[in-house]
Amino acid sequence: MVVGFFDGEALQDVVRDLDVRLNGTISEAVSRGECESTWLSGWETASLGLIKARRVLLLGLGKRKEFGVRELRLAAGQSAQKAVAAHARSVSFWVPNLGLEPATVAEAITDGLMVGEWRFAGYAQQKSEQTSLKEAWILGLPVQGAAGVEQGTIAARAENLVRELGMRPSNKLYPERLAQEAVQAAHEHGFTAEVLNEAQLHELGMEALLGVGSGSIYPPRLVVLRYQGGGTRSLALVGKGITFDSGGISLKPGAGMEEMKFDMLGAAAVLGAMCVIADRDLPINVVGLMALAQNMPSGSAYKPGDVVKAFNGKTIEVTNTDAEGRVVLADAVSYAAHLGVDWIVETSTLTGAAITVFGHEATALVSTDDALADLVVQAAEAVGERVWRLPIYPEYRQLYRSPVADLKNSPGREAGTITGGMIIAEFAGDRPYAHLDIAGTAWTPVTPLNATKNGPTGVMVRTLSRLAELLAR
Ligand code: BES
Ligand code: ZN
Ligand code: MN
């Protein structure tokens, strides 16, 4: 049983009642100063048969004014981690009244518990220990909160699918395999998936995606997901799906390169969001585009100096083969514009510069449309994900001018996250466009939800699906 409490607040009635049943163990610990209330500090005791729960964890929630939906989800996730560590079969979770809608509270707690208890099975002969948790209880919420349990479950399942895909190495998850996963998810969740192969990409004139994929024995794919929720409005979600980013001929340094299997998490987030949108039967039409390729150096690889023509006819001078995300997205985003959607929202692990700016704490937003950008931020806030908008200034355009093509793909270090988004925006035509750079947030060091060292978070599944809900209105 997990009981949350805020910094500097007296123990609530429920906790005092619990204390009485535990013969004053809690108040004694508090008076001795053993119970810290700082963010996610914990104090644990065995209940010695005095109550039904075998162990009680008092979980510090930090300062009330710094606590919101995001923190609630993390606290629940931390509780699941602790419960798994204690080999618990069941966990119950109680927090003081937060003044939020009961369904919102239940959704955040359910999502946090399910994401927190998830483990990647891995490939070792000796299977890593699986979770012992079989059930979870949310205590002290009015019954109207129950609807949130379903929403939280839907979100967590999609996020854990994204995390599963993010963990798989690129010899086991290359474009064709990731496309198969998309087909399977589409089948399970009730939307359609069409997979375009090299011949079809060639037919469509997608030299950019083909160019990036040309160095790998695993050819590129474009996956087109379609969900018809009805209504007149249509949204395109576009994701970068580089199943491994070696940098290509502009090879990356070796240290930590194994983590570049994560470079498909934009495409995976699009897939996850589609699952949520379909599960929730949102009244909007959504097309999801996953631009899949493996960026490798080889005799057939694209090279610095190459010029490729994207689907919309614009040409790109490749000055650095490691700036491959914007190249594959040039084709996918111009294809979205061609489909005539009302909005294009794209997400990608695009720039190391996004980590320089925000660390692992926020997703960078670059948008050509104020109204869309505001809705993206609103959606993110509602679901407890951090998104922060960067400006587009016309002066930045000169940074990616090319002497031989319409633009070059690698302008250099200055304003790197912004120019990345601006370059892709060149392919969105006149459609309202938003770019979400998740380089820092899709894959993070240890968090309350992720005990194993570095790993995938499933970020943007909730923001994108909430955005679809806002746009459907
Ligand atoms: N996938 C990387 C971005 C990245 C780098 C994410 C490090 C997380 C950690 C992307 O393809 C890339 O290599 N970007 C270059 C762009 C540059 C060459 C303009 C970068 O950020 O250095
Ligand atoms: Zn990349
Ligand atoms: Mn790269």
Side-chain angles (χ1 to χ4, degrees):
M1 178 176 186
V2 182
V3 176
F5 67 112
F6 285 114
D7 202 25
E9 290 185 9
L11 293 184
Q12 312 242 337
D13 287 351
V14 171
V15 186
R16 267 189 283 159
D17 187 46
L18 186 63
D19 181 43
V20 170
R21 301 224 217 159
L22 294 174
N23 296 336
T25 321
I26 294 175
S27 47
E28 197 183 318
V30 169
S31 67
R32 285 194 188 159
E34 288 170 14
C35 265
E36 275 200 64
S37 54
T38 52
W39 172 234
L40 296 188
S41 58
W43 177 86
E44 255 181 271
T45 184
S47 64
L48 304 176
L50 294 168
I51 59 170
K52 218 170 151 189
R54 294 188 56 220
R55 299 187 69 78
V56 175
L57 166 67
L58 260 72
L59 187 67
L61 301 177
K63 299 190 175 70
R64 194 184 267 268
K65 70 173 189 331
E66 289 174 4
F67 195 92
V69 169
R70 176 180 171 279
E71 288 69 29
L72 180 58
R73 175 174 176 271
L74 293 176
Q78 178 78 0
S79 305
Q81 298 264 345
K82 297 266 190 192
V84 171
H87 303 286
R89 203 188 60 85
S90 169
V91 60
S92 49
F93 188 83
W94 182 90
V95 284
N97 191 337
L98 301 164
L100 295 166
E101 289 287 325
T104 306
V105 172
E107 181 173 345
I109 294 173
T110 306
D111 183 31
L113 287 170
M114 290 182 69
V115 169
E117 66 113 43
W118 178 84
R119 296 285 177 281
F120 180 61
Y123 302 92
Q125 280 189 308
Q126 187 81 46
K127 282 274 170 271
S128 63
E129 207 179 316
Q130 288 302 291
T131 172
S132 53
L133 270 183
K134 294 281 179 280
E135 59 177 37
W137 299 86
I138 301 171
L139 306 179
L141 259 194
V143 71
Q144 308 93 280
V149 172
E150 195 192 334
Q151 305 303 338
T153 304
I154 288 172
R157 288 208 175 120
E159 288 165 315
N160 288 339
L161 167 65
V162 172
R163 296 169 78 205
E164 164 75 31
L165 296 174
M167 284 301 289
R168 292 209 195 146
S170 64
N171 64 328
K172 302 196 185 294
L173 194 75
Y174 40 87
E176 198 183 347
R177 283 302 308 273
L178 183 46
Q180 280 171 11
E181 296 289 341
V183 169
Q184 193 189 324
H187 187 73
E188 284 169 10
H189 293 264
F191 52 95
T192 68
E194 182 189 357
V195 181
L196 304 180
N197 64 21
E198 312 100 285
Q200 291 164 304
L201 296 176
H202 187 80
E203 202 62 39
L204 287 167
M206 296 196 174
E207 257 182 32
L209 178 55
L210 285 166
V212 171
S214 67
S216 175
I217 56 164
Y218 302 113
R221 293 285 184 267
L222 181 70
V223 181
V224 184
L225 309 168
R226 281 196 176 84
Y227 166 76
Q228 303 286 340
T232 54
R233 299 169 147 201
S234 59
L235 164 69
L237 300 176
V238 186
K240 168 179 174 179
I242 301 298
T243 52
F244 188 71
D245 182 13
S246 69
I249 296 294
S250 315
L251 194 64
K252 285 184 183 296
M257 201 199 272
E258 68 278 7
E259 296 202 338
M260 281 298 146
K261 67 178 182 179
F262 94 123
D263 214 17
M264 34 53 73
L265 281 167
V270 166
L271 180 62
M274 293 292 295
C275 294
V276 174
I277 290 165
D279 285 351
R280 298 181 56 183
D281 295 320
L282 295 181
I284 181 172
N285 302 314
V286 186
V287 48
L289 297 170
M290 302 164 68
L292 310 180
Q294 199 149 130
N295 187 22
M296 295 294 286
S298 87
S300 58
Y302 83 140
K303 307 170 294 297
D306 284 3
V307 174
V308 292
K309 192 201 259 181
F311 173 76
N312 70 347
K314 278 198 185 176
T315 56
I316 306 166
E317 179 194 6
V318 178
T319 51
N320 185 333
T321 63
D322 197 12
E324 83 296 339
R326 58 203 71 187
V327 180
V328 300
L329 290 166
D331 274 337
V333 166
S334 50
Y335 192 64
H338 160 80
L339 294 176
V341 294
D342 298 305
W343 305 276
I344 301 173
V345 179
E346 165 267 309
T347 186
S348 45
T349 47
L350 203 79
T351 63
I355 308 177
T356 307
V357 177
F358 292 120
H360 296 282
E361 301 307 331
T363 295
L365 167 64
V366 177
S367 180
T368 53
D369 188 272
D370 289 345
L372 178 59
D374 288 349
L375 280 175
V376 171
V377 170
Q378 192 186 319
E381 262 166 24
V383 300
E385 293 189 321
R386 288 178 174 144
V387 167
W388 200 266
R389 189 179 182 188
L390 300 174
I392 289 179
Y393 298 129
E395 285 78 1
Y396 292 135
R397 268 180 218 129
Q398 70 194 30
L399 294 173
Y400 54 86
R401 284 208 327 235
S402 162
V404 296
D406 290 317
L407 48 85
K408 64 179 175 188
N409 77 327
S410 182
R413 290 170 53 85
E414 285 172 44
T417 299
I418 296 173
T419 55
M422 288 177 70
I423 287 171
I424 304 167
E426 298 280 345
F427 297 86
D430 59 357
R431 302 289 124 173
Y433 166 75
H435 160 71
L436 290 157
D437 190 333
I438 54 171
T441 49
W443 182 275
T444 67
V446 175
T447 72
L449 297 177
N450 177 33
T452 53
K453 44 180 212 133
N454 294 357
T457 58
V459 77
M460 288 301 114
V461 166
R462 285 174 293 132
T463 294
L464 294 177
S465 49
R466 179 59 66 99
L467 177 67
E469 189 185 345
L470 293 179
L471 290 173
R473 286 191 183 137

